[in-house]
Amino acid sequence: MTLRVASDRTSTTDAGETEASPVSGRIGRSSTVASSDVSPHPAPVSAGHLWLAVFMGAILIALIGTWLVWFSAYIGRAMSQEEVRAACQHAMPDSADRCFDTVVIQRGGTRR
């Protein structure tokens, strides 16, 4: 059994002739590939390559997990600061910045 592959928009007739499609206007080359040349099974993978892939996957997962933890902490901190700033603005509109700094320092944060 052979497979016929035609290139450049050509088709192969039953007689084995190559015809150009009306769109391309060119006659291309066709090649044949025997089905015995195509392996149904992939090449075996060595143990070293398998361990390398597992190691690289673990590192990638660790990096993504670390980034997600950092990003969630960053978002949580930003939302907390927004709530404190809104509460300070409501309670002490004239000195909201001083109130915010005091609350942040009391919670163990650093001064701006």
Side-chain angles (χ1 to χ4, degrees), residues 1-7 10-19 29-35 38:
M1 176 180 162
T2 60
L3 302 172
R4 293 180 184 229
V5 179
S7 61
T10 60
S11 61
T12 305
T13 63
D14 291 337
E17 299 171 354
T18 304
E19 299 176 344
R29 292 180 278 162
S30 66
S31 61
T32 58
V33 177
S35 62
V38 179

Side-chain angles (χ1 to χ4, degrees), residues 26-89:
R26 295 181 288 169
I27 296 178
R29 292 180 278 162
S30 66
S31 61
T32 58
V33 177
S35 62
S36 63
D37 294 342
V38 179
S39 174
H41 303 289
V45 178
S46 69
H49 285 107
L50 181 63
W51 282 112
L52 179 66
V54 168
F55 180 72
M56 294 303 288
I59 290 202
L60 183 64
I61 288 172
L63 286 174
I64 291 172
T66 302
W67 181 82
L68 285 173
V69 168
W70 174 85
F71 188 64
S72 66
Y74 175 78
I75 295 294
R77 188 179 313 119
M79 290 176 68
S80 174
Q81 288 178 355
E82 294 275 331
E83 290 174 2
V84 169
R85 194 172 298 280
C88 285
Q89 184 67 33

Side-chain angles (χ1 to χ4, degrees), residues 85 88-89 91-102 112:
R85 194 172 298 280
C88 285
Q89 184 67 33
M92 301 171 57
D94 53 338
S95 58
D97 288 335
R98 190 177 69 161
C99 172
F100 176 76
D101 289 339
T102 303
R112 309 184 265 161

